[in-house]
Amino acid sequence: GELKMISFVSTGDEAPSALDGLLQTSDPDTKRKILKEASRQMLSVKDFIQVDEIRDGHILTFGDSGYALYTANRIPVSLNWTFLILESDEDVVELGRRIDEVVDGKDFDTFASSALTLLASAVTPQLAAAAAIAKFVSRAIPQVLVRNRDDQVGLYYLSLNRMEHYPNGERKRDDVPDLSNNVRVDYSIFGTTYPL
């Protein structure tokens, strides 16, 4: 068969640049537009991988050094990862279009209303908005892409914080089951606090 893997990574200490105008306005409609643009910006970091001729029990490896799903200039305070594996005949462009439509659906309006309420009392509205957007899109991506149970091969959610999970910038885990117990994932995090 043919598998498509979609990965979405967001961090808790980076706000999309679209959120810069959030503090300059008190108009709710303008704030909604800013949230929508920031969501589009955040969704743009999704990563697609397609692999053909997959069989049951297949082990996918990405060379001897793996494949980087997220890189940054500093070690993030927190990291959220959604990894969805689909058996789908749709091409990557069509799947990408459906993901981009997350911000045009009725669920986004509900999210935006609750986010605006949350932001009113936030000490750092931009970071609070970024965290809320990350949670919203990480839940919405699988809902938009999976049309029926047969399409979904695996779904993996991971939320880590530096203090608990990678205090020295490193973490390695092997054979971690996804939510459906269909897929096992090996992953590692490596970060350093000085320039290489």
Side-chain angles (χ1 to χ4, degrees):
E2 176 182 282
L3 292 182
K4 292 184 174 68
M5 292 168 273
I6 298 99
S7 181
F8 172 75
V9 178
S10 63
T11 66
D13 57 351
E14 282 183 14
S17 60
L19 290 171
D20 290 347
L22 202 58
L23 298 176
Q24 277 82 43
T25 182
S26 58
D27 177 47
D29 290 335
T30 303
K31 287 188 176 191
R32 281 178 196 275
K33 287 178 186 171
I34 290 170
L35 286 175
K36 186 171 273 197
E37 182 53 38
S39 299
R40 287 189 200 283
Q41 197 173 4
M42 198 174 278
L43 280 169
S44 71
V45 301
K46 62 192 174 294
D47 198 2
F48 285 98
I49 300 169
Q50 179 174 318
V51 182
D52 298 328
E53 299 184 29
I54 299 295
R55 294 177 182 84
D56 284 348
H58 195 101
I59 297 174
L60 294 173
T61 58
F62 296 92
D64 63 347
S65 61
Y67 180 77
L69 294 173
Y70 178 80
T71 58
N73 292 327
R74 63 179 182 206
I75 300 172
V77 173
S78 64
L79 195 73
N80 302 293
W81 179 33
T82 299
F83 183 50
L84 179 64
I85 305 168
L86 297 174
E87 184 176 26
S88 174
D89 294 330
E90 285 183 275
D91 65 22
V92 168
V93 173
E94 174 60 21
L95 289 173
R97 186 190 61 73
R98 283 209 278 142
I99 288 175
D100 292 339
E101 287 177 353
V102 161
V103 297
D104 296 321
K106 61 177 173 30
D107 289 342
F108 183 83
D109 292 333
T110 304
F111 155 73
S113 295
S114 61
L116 289 175
T117 303
L118 169 78
L119 298 180
S121 60
V123 176
T124 53
Q126 290 163 305
L127 289 180
I133 290 168
K135 286 178 187 174
F136 170 74
V137 297
S138 66
R139 282 193 314 264
I141 287 174
Q143 292 171 359
V144 165
L145 291 182
V146 180
R147 290 184 171 156
N148 59 59
R149 286 184 177 271
D150 297 333
D151 285 341
Q152 182 180 304
V153 175
L155 176 60
Y156 189 66
Y157 286 114
L158 177 70
S159 288
L160 302 172
N161 66 73
R162 184 173 179 181
M163 186 179 293
E164 182 180 359
H165 300 111
Y166 51 97
N168 300 312
E170 293 185 48
R171 179 182 177 89
K172 179 163 178 41
R173 294 293 184 269
D174 293 330
D175 207 35
V176 180
D178 77 314
L179 292 175
S180 65
N181 214 23
N182 287 337
V183 176
R184 301 283 175 160
V185 176
D186 297 348
Y187 72 87
S188 64
I189 293 172
F190 172 77
T192 182
T193 56
Y194 56 88
L196 296 176

